[in-house]
Amino acid sequence: MVADRDTAALAHFSPDDIPAATVAVPHSANSPYRNRLLGLLDQQDGSLLSPDQEHVELALRDRLEQQGRPINFVYFIEEGFGSIIAKMAPGRDAKAGILGHKGMTGTVVVLGDNLAPHDCVVQLAGEAMRIPIAPFHEALEQSPTLRLFLLLRAIPDGADQLHRSHANARQGLESRLARWLLLC
């Protein structure tokens, strides 16, 4: 499996092995994208994704992912935001995070899976660039740096969201509201 091979390859990387274009490139003011991940891609990786990108409008309550179902598109939100919702028990959903212009949906695809672990629902209407899953997989296969870049940029955001959701569970309503307002 590709994900196993890439995971094994990543285990041997040190920060010095990572191409400079993959690590700390500031968001380019010349980038045509408002999504930070797309704006940070080097030209070669960006060109692998661009032919299959589609600009879409995101309406309130659009479902971008549904837990346990195959992921059909990877969304790079440019405006608005979505909530990542973990389904606990029937009627006991918990917001696990917020997804906005700095991230992407479908991070499990980068890890080699294609089933959504959580729901992702639009909470503030906006716009996104989306890529069908098959061409996204092809781009990951063609580029040795694209998967690594997304692992280094998108996956830590997910871990941070998990930490925030833990903190939110322990905080009162006023603290959670203040954090939500800051994130938005």
Side-chain angles (χ1 to χ4, degrees):
M1 177 179 235
V2 172
D4 294 338
R5 183 186 73 223
D6 290 342
T7 302
L10 286 174
H12 301 290
F13 273 146
S14 77
D16 296 332
D17 296 329
I18 300 167
T22 307
V23 181
V25 179
H27 186 82
S28 171
N30 298 327
S31 173
Y33 302 110
R34 291 176 286 160
N35 177 279
R36 185 168 184 212
L37 284 177
L38 289 177
L40 289 172
L41 286 175
D42 68 29
Q43 187 174 6
Q44 185 176 1
D45 287 342
S47 68
L48 290 174
L49 296 177
S50 61
D52 298 295
Q53 289 175 5
E54 173 186 15
H55 179 265
V56 293
E57 297 289 324
L58 301 176
L60 183 64
R61 296 189 187 91
D62 276 353
R63 188 175 301 275
L64 305 181
E65 290 184 3
Q66 189 169 356
Q67 181 180 349
R69 297 235 173 132
I71 296 170
N72 297 315
F73 296 94
V74 174
Y75 290 85
F76 294 87
I77 295 177
E78 295 199 312
E79 183 179 296
F81 69 88
S83 287
I84 300 167
I85 302 167
K87 295 193 177 246
M88 313 287 259
R92 298 211 12 133
D93 297 344
K95 185 164 45 166
I98 293 176
L99 177 68
H101 73 280
K102 293 181 179 181
M104 62 181 273
T105 66
T107 53
V108 296
V109 175
V110 179
L111 296 170
D113 199 353
N114 75 328
L115 296 178
H118 305 291
D119 287 355
C120 184
V121 179
V122 174
Q123 293 293 315
L124 179 64
E127 302 172 2
M129 298 301 288
R130 77 176 183 185
I131 302 169
I133 201 68
F136 187 75
H137 274 295
E138 290 172 20
L140 291 174
E141 290 290 323
Q142 290 177 23
S143 171
T145 57
L146 180 59
R147 183 181 306 271
L148 180 59
F149 171 81
L150 293 174
L151 285 170
L152 291 171
R153 293 287 181 182
I155 304 304
D157 287 346
D160 185 48
Q161 286 183 5
L162 181 60
H163 174 73
R164 282 194 307 255
S165 66
H166 252 269
N168 280 345
R170 296 178 183 185
Q171 294 174 341
L173 181 61
E174 290 171 353
S175 295
R176 292 191 337 240
L177 176 60
R179 176 181 292 281
W180 184 84
L181 289 171
L182 286 171
L183 288 171
C184 294

